Amino acid sequence: MSVQVVVGAQWGDEGKGKIVDVLSEKADVIARYQGGPNAGHTVVLEQDKFVLHLIPSGILRPAKVCIVGHGVVVDPEALLEEIAALENKNIKVKGNLFASKKAHLIMPYHKIIDQRSEQLRGNQMIGTTGRGIGPAYTDKVARLGIRLADLLDSNLFKEKLLVNLQEKNFLLKNFYGLPDLSFDTVYAQYMSYGERLKDYITDTDALMKEALGQGRSILIEGAQGTMLDVDHGTYPFVTSSSSSVGGVCTGLGIAPSRIDEVIGVAKAYTTRVGSGPFPTELTNDSGQKLRDRGNEYGATTGRPRRCGWFDAVVVRHAVWVNGIKKLAITKLDVLDQFDKIFICTGYRYKGEMFRDMPCETEVLEKLTPVYKELEGWRQNTAGLTSYEHLPLKAKNYLKRLSDEVEANISLISTGPQRTQTIFLKNDGIC
């Protein structure tokens, strides 16, 4: 038995979808512990591309048990659309996918409030996807949430919806200047969702307990990245859940002592979507080159990602917070055509040097990154599957990354396909 957790070590979009897909070959259960349909994991299988928002990437392998934990907020319409899209590509979902009864629902008013609140922030926009994730988590913590289990009890759902709509419609009308939501419309819509989802909704705590008791191999999948964690990220420009390893225990109901290994995923450079500090951001030709070569556009929104050099301070922070021992480095091939490559090894602010991540937004916005310059390899690494075949300068770059973030590199992705992966033996690069 083993329990592995895959977490993002940057601001999300690190390529976790592919890494989970690759590692799921040897797993029995693949579970998602937080986030909502604001996350997008892209997996490429030969000529097919799958973009998964709620369903764990393990669904693409036959006979795997896939769990959506109670730490996830679920938009039932989005979940049903995702199920249908997979089934249209002959991927078996029913019998393999299970969603926690305790997972909270994203309601129509959550989406409206999310979008309108962002508009009202003006220049202070956080950069949310507008899919209602933050307001859904707000209601969860305020003990006003409606859960998947409530879809199976029409009377209880009706009671909760009546109470919530009384408050939300007052807010929509008197604060946002928007029309009321119809109780009858929302009620009918969500009862329909419940009927269609009833075969997927179950006690996933019991499933996890059974799997652990049977000594089955479990792979746990995070959404977003450590720097978007509501506690450990660049607050307030973060997501509304615990995207670091701490969210695993609350989001799936397993004890920390059960976790055997945490694998961090980081790009060979850095990207960020939305607002907030980004110390190594490049707004010049190099930044555009990274975006074009890496196809850096959001899987969920299509928004162009901000791009910059690898930030070792960020990943070092993620290594510490998550207890990462092994790193998967993705998109190494994107750097193939650069003459010079830079690694941010620290920050300078008002004469002071930082090797650790400061939490103050003002510091993060005004600091100066300190770079180590390395020579580019100017050779093709796309599709390589052997470490020995990497150019020497690419090996030097990876070694420097490993040394700076104080974690071993055990896997290198050289392209989107499953086969375009280098597995390092023993302890990897360190």
Side-chain angles (χ1 to χ4, degrees):
M1 180 197 78
S2 69
V3 177
Q4 290 181 311
V5 181
V6 175
V7 297
Q10 295 162 317
W11 278 281
D13 307 309
E14 301 96 345
K16 295 183 295 297
K18 175 190 170 171
I19 302 305
V20 171
D21 174 64
V22 168
L23 297 177
S24 65
E25 180 181 10
K26 297 181 179 179
D28 301 307
V29 178
I30 300 93
R32 166 93 174 267
Y33 64 91
Q34 52 74 227
N38 56 337
H41 286 177
T42 303
V43 181
V44 178
L45 304 182
E46 297 180 353
Q47 302 305 314
D48 277 330
K49 182 170 81 169
F50 299 85
V51 181
L52 302 168
H53 300 281
L54 285 164
I55 300 174
S57 304
I59 199 69
L60 301 177
R61 293 190 181 271
K64 303 293 184 180
V65 174
C66 293
I67 292 174
V68 176
H70 51 259
V72 178
V73 288
V74 177
D75 180 339
E77 182 179 17
L79 181 56
L80 286 164
E81 288 175 354
E82 201 165 311
I83 290 169
L86 288 167
E87 290 177 338
N88 286 339
K89 292 191 175 183
N90 298 315
I91 302 296
K92 184 178 182 296
V93 181
K94 187 172 289 189
N96 293 342
L97 176 66
F98 304 92
S100 173
K101 288 182 176 181
K102 297 191 290 186
H104 282 245
L105 289 166
I106 296 172
M107 303 297 293
Y109 45 78
H110 292 141
K111 298 179 188 178
I112 296 169
I113 291 170
D114 192 3
Q115 294 164 15
R116 186 64 177 138
S117 295
E118 273 288 87
Q119 292 171 359
L120 293 177
R121 287 189 182 103
N123 293 333
Q124 300 301 313
M125 288 176 66
I126 293 171
T128 77
T129 59
R131 283 163 167 75
I133 282 77
Y137 276 115
T138 298
D139 275 2
K140 175 180 178 176
V141 175
R143 294 164 292 182
L144 294 170
I146 303 176
R147 304 193 292 183
L148 274 174
D150 300 330
L151 292 178
L152 308 181
D153 185 334
S154 60
N155 290 328
L156 181 59
F157 182 83
K158 179 183 292 186
E159 179 184 323
K160 289 188 173 184
L161 182 61
L162 281 168
V163 171
N164 281 11
L165 274 184
Q166 185 177 14
E167 176 187 305
K168 303 304 182 189
N169 278 337
F170 180 86
L171 183 66
L172 291 176
K173 180 180 179 180
N174 294 285
F175 183 72
Y176 293 112
L178 297 172
D180 290 356
L181 287 171
S182 163
F183 169 83
D184 290 338
T185 300
V186 176
Y187 178 78
Q189 183 182 39
Y190 274 70
M191 284 296 95
S192 170
Y193 293 152
E195 180 63 29
R196 294 161 65 190
L197 287 171
K198 64 183 180 181
D199 292 335
Y200 299 95
I201 301 170
T202 191
D203 182 354
T204 58
D205 287 358
L207 282 181
M208 290 294 293
K209 186 176 180 180
E210 180 183 26
L212 287 165
Q214 294 174 346
R216 304 180 79 187
S217 179
I218 298 172
L219 181 63
I220 298 174
E221 163 185 321
Q224 287 94 27
T226 301
M227 298 311 299
L228 292 177
D229 184 282
V230 69
D231 288 301
H232 301 292
T234 47
Y235 190 88
F237 302 98
V238 293
T239 194
S240 301
S241 60
S242 296
S243 51
S244 59
V245 72
V248 171
C249 303
T250 55
L252 286 169
I254 64 172
S257 57
R258 295 283 191 175
I259 298 171
D260 297 301
E261 183 176 59
V262 182
I263 300 169
V265 184
K267 281 177 181 163
Y269 49 102
T270 311
T271 64
R272 175 166 197 169
V273 171
S275 305
F278 184 179
T280 65
E281 181 174 11
L282 297 170
T283 57
N284 55 15
D285 290 344
S286 294
Q288 188 60 47
K289 187 174 180 180
L290 287 171
R291 185 177 299 111
D292 292 341
R293 286 185 54 79
N295 190 29
E296 295 296 351
Y297 298 89
T300 299
T301 63
R303 289 182 294 181
R305 297 180 184 131
R306 300 154 67 190
C307 297
W309 298 119
F310 187 91
D311 192 330
V313 181
V314 162
V315 180
R316 197 183 299 131
H317 174 68
V319 166
W320 168 250
V321 166
N322 295 291
I324 293 168
K325 302 298 182 187
K326 294 181 179 178
L327 273 177
I329 297 295
T330 62
K331 293 199 170 183
L332 180 68
D333 54 299
V334 172
L335 300 178
D336 285 352
Q337 301 304 315
F338 284 86
D339 294 315
K340 300 290 182 181
I341 300 172
F342 297 85
I343 302 171
C344 173
T345 59
Y347 304 145
R348 183 177 290 110
Y349 177 73
K350 292 185 176 180
E352 183 180 354
M353 280 293 297
F354 291 83
R355 272 185 58 83
D356 295 319
M357 198 77 195
C359 70
E360 298 86 356
T361 302
E362 181 182 356
V363 176
L364 286 166
E365 288 178 341
K366 296 181 179 180
L367 56 76
T368 301
V370 177
Y371 287 112
K372 172 68 178 179
E373 180 182 315
L374 287 85
E375 289 188 28
W377 43 92
R378 299 288 298 181
Q379 292 176 253
N380 183 39
T381 65
L384 294 183
T385 57
S386 169
Y387 178 74
E388 287 69 27
H389 293 159
L390 285 175
L392 177 60
K393 291 177 181 177
K395 293 179 182 178
N396 291 339
Y397 179 70
L398 292 167
K399 178 66 166 61
R400 185 61 187 246
L401 295 190
S402 180
D403 290 344
E404 286 290 341
V405 304
E406 301 171 7
N408 295 332
I409 296 173
S410 61
L411 186 154
I412 303 162
S413 175
T414 58
Q417 299 286 350
R418 285 173 175 170
T419 55
Q420 294 174 319
T421 308
I422 297 172
F423 295 95
L424 290 117
K425 298 177 181 178
N426 303 320
D427 289 331
I429 303 168
C430 191

